[in-house]
Amino acid sequence: IRAAIPIADHLQLFDSVLGSCVSHPSPKTVLDLRAQRKATVLAERYPHGFVYAGNSKDDLCVWEHPQCKAMILVNCSPKILKQARAISKPYMVIP
């Protein structure tokens, strides 16, 4: 989340930043989330679906959630990349 907050602040495109680290407080940091808890919150906030960017094993369950419509795979390890591609949803890779 340390990288996401400055990017979100710069781009001014996002309503909020949800992450799994609270060491960098910001008004855009709404909740400290990971894995299934993050998937549940995203599904509640975006009942018509969402696209999710991530890079860790904790993100796999977010990508697997039925309301996740597409995946953005950011700097993933080869193992996570392989597991994410097996989910069979549209995706893009950002190395």
Side-chain angles (χ1 to χ4, degrees):
I1 196 164
R2 285 182 294 227
I5 291 170
I7 292 168
D9 288 342
H10 175 74
L11 295 176
Q12 297 182 2
L13 295 174
F14 306 102
D15 295 331
S16 61
V17 175
L18 304 177
S20 21
C21 176
V22 293
S23 64
H24 181 32
S26 163
K28 290 189 178 288
T29 306
V30 177
L31 299 168
D32 177 34
L33 301 171
R34 67 183 57 147
Q36 189 57 47
R37 287 181 52 209
K38 187 181 285 185
T40 300
V41 168
L42 288 169
E44 290 170 356
R45 284 184 176 209
Y46 306 104
H48 300 292
F50 59 87
V51 175
Y52 183 74
N55 65 356
S56 76
K57 65 181 173 98
D58 286 340
D59 297 320
L60 291 167
C61 66
V62 178
W63 291 322
E64 290 169 342
H65 194 282
Q67 284 174 252
C68 179
K69 303 303 180 191
M71 308 176 293
I72 303 173
L73 312 175
V74 183
N75 194 29
C76 293
S77 70
K79 180 179 179 179
I80 298 299
L81 194 58
K82 182 178 179 178
Q83 290 172 310
R85 286 179 168 154
I87 295 172
S88 297
K89 289 188 181 179
Y91 68 89
M92 69 178 300
V93 176
I94 300 174

